[in-house]
Amino acid sequence: MMWHLGPMLAYDCETTGVEVETDRIVTAAVVKIEPGCQPSIRSTVINPGVEVPAEAAEIHGWTTERVQAEGWEPAKELEWIAADLAAALAAGTPLVIANAPFDLTLLDRELRRHGLATLDQRLGGRPIAPVIDPMVLDHALDRYRPGKRKLVDLCAAYGTRIDQAHDCTADALAVARVAFKIGQRAQRALAAPLDVADMYGDRRYPDRIVRGFQEFAKLTLAEVHMAQVGWHAGQVEGRAQYWRQKANELEHRADRATDEAERVTALADVEELRQRAAGVSTQWPVREWVAPS
């Protein structure tokens, strides 16, 4: 039986920003999926104790004033989240998380910030596994699809719904649906490869996509986890290489610029791209914590 037909635990959070080392969790949802049962949902609103930037609040709707009025104290909420996730991992149930290195690393830092045991500590030093990251799987299995690859795009690509983007419960449910659809499509590639080839008829190499899904369908859950480690590393290295290439092109343009304002703008863009490339981490599903010196 493929992993998508068994139990899963989906997790999603909304935050004060995108910096895993310093930003905070504002809302979070844990959704337990059991075959033949309705999903069991636990969610929370956390008062992070810091300002929620306007740009973050505009995305998820939780302003500083709102979390101060409705949010709970962080430590108690973070404790049950971590306990639920660790219990699932200890039982061999996969965590399903879109962009796992962000959500899991941010959770790790929040637990440390509040003096709580981290997931790896709760697991007695065992790896944080198994994890299913639909963003990694999608990019590996359908690498030639044009366009964006955010959660809403994955829902469209796999024919499943998302009820309200950037609501943690809706996102967690959507992540679980996409993961299931990916597993289902892999099974379909074994049973009816021509049908799956037709789905990807507009791609450059539809036969390669079918073969990729077929090979994926043969992997055990543990093998799927390990495959994502390598796939994620290749994917982020590819992005970093693209940013470095763009930086080199802009630098060359700046060198030839006759307008000083244009040159200064181009060099600023060069620096931003190179910093972005330098900040790429290949670690998955959680970035290693480095104690401050």
Side-chain angles (χ1 to χ4, degrees), residues 98-101 133-144 149 154 158 182 216 224 226-244 276-277 280-284:
N99 192 14
D133 189 334
M135 288 187 169
V136 174
L137 298 183
D138 171 68
H139 197 278
L141 295 168
D142 189 10
R143 60 181 300 186
Y144 303 109
R149 292 178 183 262
L154 267 62
Y158 292 95
I182 290 175
F216 176 69
V224 170
M226 291 307 301
Q228 290 171 101
V229 174
W231 288 338
H232 174 264
Q235 290 162 14
V236 297
E237 279 291 357
R239 286 197 290 272
Q241 179 58 36
Y242 172 78
W243 292 329
R244 286 190 288 265
R276 194 184 301 175
V280 161
S281 170
T282 61
Q283 295 176 337
W284 183 94

Coordinates of all heavy atoms in Angstrom, one line a residue, residues 98-101 133-144 149 154 158 182 216 224 226-244 276-277 280-284:
A98 N 3.9 21.7 3.2 CA 4.4 22.4 2.1 C 5.5 23.3 2.5 O 5.4 24.1 3.4 CB 3.2 23.2 1.4
N99 N 6.6 23.2 1.8 CA 7.9 24.0 2.2 C 8.3 23.6 3.6 O 8.4 24.5 4.4 CB 7.6 25.5 2.0 CG 8.9 26.3 2.0 OD1 10.0 25.7 2.0 ND2 8.8 27.6 2.1
A100 N 8.5 22.4 3.8 CA 8.8 21.9 5.2 C 10.0 22.6 5.8 O 10.0 22.9 7.0 CB 9.1 20.4 5.1
P101 N 11.1 23.0 5.1 CA 12.2 23.6 5.8 C 11.8 25.0 6.4 O 12.5 25.4 7.3 CB 13.2 23.8 4.6 CG 12.9 22.8 3.6 CD 11.4 22.6 3.7
D133 N 6.7 16.5 1.5 CA 6.7 17.9 1.1 C 6.2 18.0 -0.3 O 6.9 17.8 -1.3 CB 8.1 18.6 1.2 CG 8.0 20.1 1.0 OD1 7.1 20.6 0.4 OD2 9.0 20.7 1.5
P134 N 4.9 18.3 -0.5 CA 4.3 18.3 -1.9 C 5.0 19.3 -2.8 O 5.0 19.0 -4.1 CB 2.9 18.7 -1.7 CG 2.5 18.2 -0.3 CD 3.8 18.5 0.5
M135 N 5.6 20.3 -2.3 CA 6.3 21.2 -3.2 C 7.6 20.6 -3.8 O 7.9 20.8 -4.9 CB 6.7 22.5 -2.4 CG 5.5 23.4 -2.2 SD 5.9 25.0 -1.4 CE 4.3 25.8 -1.5
V136 N 8.3 19.8 -3.0 CA 9.5 19.1 -3.5 C 9.0 18.0 -4.4 O 9.6 17.9 -5.5 CB 10.3 18.5 -2.3 CG1 11.4 17.6 -2.8 CG2 10.8 19.6 -1.4
L137 N 8.0 17.3 -4.1 CA 7.5 16.2 -4.9 C 7.1 16.7 -6.3 O 7.4 16.2 -7.3 CB 6.4 15.4 -4.3 CG 6.7 14.7 -3.0 CD1 5.5 13.9 -2.5 CD2 7.9 13.7 -3.1
D138 N 6.3 17.8 -6.3 CA 5.8 18.3 -7.5 C 6.9 18.8 -8.4 O 6.9 18.5 -9.6 CB 4.8 19.5 -7.2 CG 4.4 20.3 -8.5 OD1 3.7 19.7 -9.3 OD2 4.9 21.4 -8.6
H139 N 7.9 19.5 -7.9 CA 9.0 20.0 -8.7 C 9.8 18.8 -9.3 O 10.3 18.9 -10.4 CB 9.8 20.9 -7.9 CG 10.7 21.8 -8.8 ND1 11.9 21.3 -9.3 CD2 10.5 23.1 -9.2 CE1 12.5 22.3 -10.0 NE2 11.7 23.4 -10.0
A140 N 9.9 17.8 -8.5 CA 10.7 16.6 -9.0 C 10.0 15.8 -10.0 O 10.6 15.3 -11.0 CB 11.1 15.7 -7.8
L141 N 8.6 15.7 -9.9 CA 7.9 14.8 -10.8 C 7.3 15.5 -12.0 O 7.1 14.9 -13.0 CB 6.7 14.2 -10.0 CG 7.1 13.3 -8.9 CD1 5.9 12.9 -8.0 CD2 7.7 12.0 -9.4
D142 N 7.2 16.9 -11.9 CA 6.6 17.7 -13.0 C 7.5 18.9 -13.2 O 7.0 20.0 -13.2 CB 5.2 18.0 -12.8 CG 4.5 18.7 -13.9 OD1 5.1 18.6 -15.1 OD2 3.4 19.2 -13.8
R143 N 8.8 18.7 -13.5 CA 9.7 19.8 -13.5 C 9.6 20.7 -14.6 O 10.1 21.8 -14.6 CB 11.2 19.2 -13.5 CG 11.5 18.3 -14.7 CD 12.9 17.8 -14.6 NE 13.9 18.9 -14.5 CZ 15.2 18.6 -14.6 NH1 15.7 17.4 -14.6 NH2 16.1 19.6 -14.6
Y144 N 8.9 20.3 -15.7 CA 8.8 21.2 -16.9 C 7.5 22.0 -16.9 O 7.3 22.7 -17.9 CB 8.9 20.3 -18.2 CG 10.1 19.4 -18.2 CD1 10.0 18.1 -18.1 CD2 11.4 20.0 -18.4 CE1 11.2 17.3 -18.1 CE2 12.5 19.2 -18.5 CZ 12.4 17.9 -18.3 OH 13.5 17.1 -18.4
R149 N 4.7 27.9 -8.4 CA 4.4 26.6 -7.7 C 4.1 26.8 -6.3 O 4.5 26.1 -5.4 CB 5.7 25.7 -7.9 CG 5.9 25.2 -9.3 CD 7.2 24.4 -9.4 NE 7.5 24.0 -10.8 CZ 7.2 22.8 -11.3 NH1 6.5 21.9 -10.6 NH2 7.5 22.6 -12.5
L154 N -0.4 24.4 -6.9 CA -0.4 22.9 -6.8 C -1.8 22.4 -6.8 O -2.1 21.4 -7.4 CB 0.4 22.5 -5.6 CG 1.9 22.2 -5.8 CD1 2.7 23.4 -6.3 CD2 2.5 21.6 -4.5
Y158 N -3.2 19.7 -9.6 CA -3.7 18.4 -9.2 C -5.2 18.3 -9.0 O -5.7 17.2 -8.5 CB -2.9 17.9 -7.9 CG -1.4 17.7 -8.3 CD1 -0.5 18.7 -8.0 CD2 -1.0 16.5 -8.9 CE1 0.8 18.5 -8.3 CE2 0.4 16.3 -9.2 CZ 1.2 17.3 -8.9 OH 2.6 17.2 -9.3
I182 N -1.0 13.4 -5.5 CA 0.3 13.0 -6.1 C 0.5 11.5 -6.0 O 0.9 10.9 -6.9 CB 1.5 13.8 -5.4 CG1 1.4 15.3 -5.8 CG2 2.8 13.2 -5.8 CD1 2.4 16.1 -5.1
F216 N 8.4 6.6 -8.7 CA 8.0 7.1 -7.4 C 7.0 6.2 -6.7 O 7.1 6.0 -5.5 CB 7.4 8.5 -7.7 CG 6.9 9.2 -6.4 CD1 7.7 9.6 -5.4 CD2 5.5 9.4 -6.2 CE1 7.2 10.2 -4.2 CE2 5.0 10.0 -5.1 CZ 5.8 10.4 -4.1
V224 N 10.8 7.5 0.0 CA 10.3 8.8 -0.4 C 10.9 10.0 0.4 O 11.3 11.0 -0.2 CB 8.8 8.9 -0.3 CG1 8.2 10.3 -0.5 CG2 8.1 7.9 -1.3
M226 N 13.8 10.0 1.9 CA 15.3 10.2 1.5 C 15.4 10.8 0.1 O 16.3 11.6 -0.1 CB 16.0 8.9 1.6 CG 16.2 8.3 3.0 SD 16.9 9.6 4.2 CE 18.5 9.9 3.3
A227 N 14.5 10.4 -0.8 CA 14.6 11.0 -2.1 C 14.4 12.5 -2.1 O 15.0 13.2 -2.8 CB 13.5 10.3 -3.0
Q228 N 13.5 12.9 -1.2 CA 13.2 14.4 -1.1 C 14.5 15.2 -0.6 O 14.6 16.3 -1.0 CB 12.0 14.6 -0.2 CG 10.7 14.2 -0.8 CD 9.6 14.3 0.2 OE1 8.8 15.2 0.2 NE2 9.5 13.3 1.1
V229 N 15.3 14.5 0.2 CA 16.5 15.2 0.6 C 17.3 15.6 -0.6 O 17.8 16.8 -0.7 CB 17.3 14.3 1.6 CG1 18.6 14.9 1.9 CG2 16.5 14.0 2.8
G230 N 17.6 14.7 -1.5 CA 18.3 15.0 -2.7 C 17.6 15.9 -3.6 O 18.2 16.8 -4.2
W231 N 16.3 15.6 -3.8 CA 15.6 16.5 -4.8 C 15.6 17.9 -4.3 O 15.8 18.8 -5.1 CB 14.1 16.0 -4.9 CG 14.0 14.7 -5.6 CD1 14.9 14.2 -6.5 CD2 12.9 13.7 -5.6 NE1 14.5 13.0 -7.0 CE2 13.3 12.7 -6.4 CE3 11.8 13.7 -4.8 CZ2 12.4 11.6 -6.6 CZ3 10.9 12.6 -5.0 CH2 11.3 11.5 -5.9
H232 N 15.3 18.1 -3.0 CA 15.3 19.5 -2.5 C 16.7 20.2 -2.7 O 16.7 21.4 -3.1 CB 14.9 19.5 -1.0 CG 15.0 20.9 -0.4 ND1 16.1 21.3 0.3 CD2 14.1 21.9 -0.4 CE1 15.9 22.5 0.7 NE2 14.7 22.9 0.4
A233 N 17.7 19.5 -2.4 CA 19.1 20.1 -2.6 C 19.3 20.5 -4.0 O 19.8 21.6 -4.3 CB 20.1 19.1 -2.1
G234 N 18.9 19.7 -5.0 CA 19.1 20.0 -6.4 C 18.2 21.2 -6.8 O 18.6 22.1 -7.5
Q235 N 17.0 21.2 -6.2 CA 16.1 22.3 -6.6 C 16.6 23.7 -6.1 O 16.6 24.7 -6.8 CB 14.7 22.0 -6.1 CG 14.0 20.8 -6.8 CD 12.9 20.2 -6.0 OE1 12.4 20.8 -5.0 NE2 12.4 19.0 -6.4
V236 N 17.0 23.7 -4.8 CA 17.4 25.0 -4.3 C 18.8 25.4 -4.9 O 19.0 26.6 -5.1 CB 17.5 25.0 -2.8 CG1 16.1 24.8 -2.2 CG2 18.5 24.0 -2.2
E237 N 19.6 24.5 -5.2 CA 20.9 24.8 -5.8 C 20.6 25.4 -7.2 O 21.3 26.3 -7.7 CB 21.8 23.6 -5.9 CG 22.6 23.3 -4.6 CD 23.6 24.3 -4.3 OE1 23.8 25.3 -5.1 OE2 24.2 24.2 -3.2
G238 N 19.6 24.8 -7.9 CA 19.3 25.4 -9.2 C 18.8 26.8 -9.1 O 19.2 27.6 -10.0
R239 N 18.0 27.1 -8.1 CA 17.5 28.5 -7.9 C 18.7 29.4 -7.6 O 18.8 30.5 -8.2 CB 16.5 28.6 -6.8 CG 15.1 28.0 -7.2 CD 14.1 28.5 -6.3 NE 14.2 27.9 -4.9 CZ 13.6 26.7 -4.6 NH1 12.9 26.0 -5.5 NH2 13.8 26.2 -3.4
A240 N 19.6 28.9 -6.7 CA 20.8 29.8 -6.4 C 21.6 30.0 -7.6 O 22.1 31.1 -7.8 CB 21.6 29.1 -5.3
Q241 N 21.8 29.0 -8.5 CA 22.6 29.2 -9.7 C 22.0 30.2 -10.6 O 22.7 31.1 -11.2 CB 22.8 27.9 -10.4 CG 23.6 27.9 -11.7 CD 25.0 28.5 -11.5 OE1 25.6 28.2 -10.4 NE2 25.5 29.3 -12.4
Y242 N 20.6 30.2 -10.7 CA 19.9 31.1 -11.5 C 20.1 32.6 -11.0 O 20.4 33.5 -11.8 CB 18.4 30.8 -11.5 CG 17.6 31.8 -12.2 CD1 17.5 31.9 -13.6 CD2 16.8 32.8 -11.4 CE1 16.7 32.9 -14.2 CE2 16.0 33.7 -12.1 CZ 16.0 33.8 -13.4 OH 15.2 34.8 -14.0
W243 N 20.0 32.7 -9.7 CA 20.2 34.1 -9.1 C 21.7 34.6 -9.3 O 21.9 35.7 -9.6 CB 19.9 34.1 -7.6 CG 18.4 33.9 -7.3 CD1 17.4 34.3 -8.1 CD2 17.9 33.2 -6.2 NE1 16.2 33.9 -7.6 CE2 16.5 33.2 -6.4 CE3 18.4 32.5 -5.1 CZ2 15.6 32.7 -5.5 CZ3 17.5 32.0 -4.2 CH2 16.1 32.0 -4.4
R244 N 22.6 33.7 -9.2 CA 24.0 34.1 -9.4 C 24.2 34.5 -10.9 O 25.0 35.5 -11.2 CB 25.0 32.9 -9.1 CG 25.1 32.7 -7.6 CD 26.3 31.8 -7.2 NE 25.9 30.4 -7.6 CZ 25.4 29.5 -6.7 NH1 25.2 29.9 -5.4 NH2 25.1 28.3 -7.0
R276 N 20.7 36.6 -1.8 CA 19.7 35.5 -1.8 C 20.3 34.2 -2.1 O 20.0 33.2 -1.5 CB 18.7 35.9 -2.9 CG 17.4 35.1 -2.8 CD 16.5 35.5 -4.0 NE 16.1 36.9 -4.0 CZ 15.4 37.5 -5.0 NH1 15.0 36.7 -6.0 NH2 15.1 38.8 -4.9
A277 N 21.2 34.2 -3.1 CA 21.9 32.9 -3.5 C 22.7 32.4 -2.3 O 22.8 31.1 -2.0 CB 22.8 33.1 -4.7
V280 N 20.8 30.5 0.5 CA 20.1 29.2 0.2 C 20.7 28.1 1.1 O 21.9 27.9 1.3 CB 20.3 28.9 -1.3 CG1 20.0 27.4 -1.5 CG2 19.3 29.7 -2.1
S281 N 19.8 27.3 1.7 CA 20.1 26.1 2.4 C 19.6 24.9 1.8 O 18.4 24.8 1.4 CB 19.6 26.2 3.9 OG 19.7 25.0 4.6
T282 N 20.5 23.9 1.6 CA 20.0 22.6 1.0 C 19.5 21.6 2.0 O 19.0 20.6 1.7 CB 21.2 21.9 0.3 OG1 22.3 21.7 1.2 CG2 21.8 22.8 -0.8
Q283 N 19.5 22.0 3.3 CA 19.0 21.1 4.4 C 17.5 20.9 4.3 O 16.8 21.9 4.2 CB 19.5 21.6 5.7 CG 21.0 21.6 5.9 CD 21.4 22.3 7.2 OE1 20.7 23.0 7.8 NE2 22.6 21.9 7.7
W284 N 17.1 19.7 4.4 CA 15.7 19.4 4.4 C 15.5 18.1 5.3 O 16.3 17.2 5.3 CB 15.3 19.0 3.0 CG 13.8 18.7 2.8 CD1 12.8 19.6 2.4 CD2 13.2 17.5 3.0 NE1 11.6 19.0 2.4 CE2 11.8 17.6 2.7 CE3 13.6 16.2 3.4 CZ2 10.8 16.6 2.8 CZ3 12.7 15.2 3.5 CH2 11.3 15.4 3.2

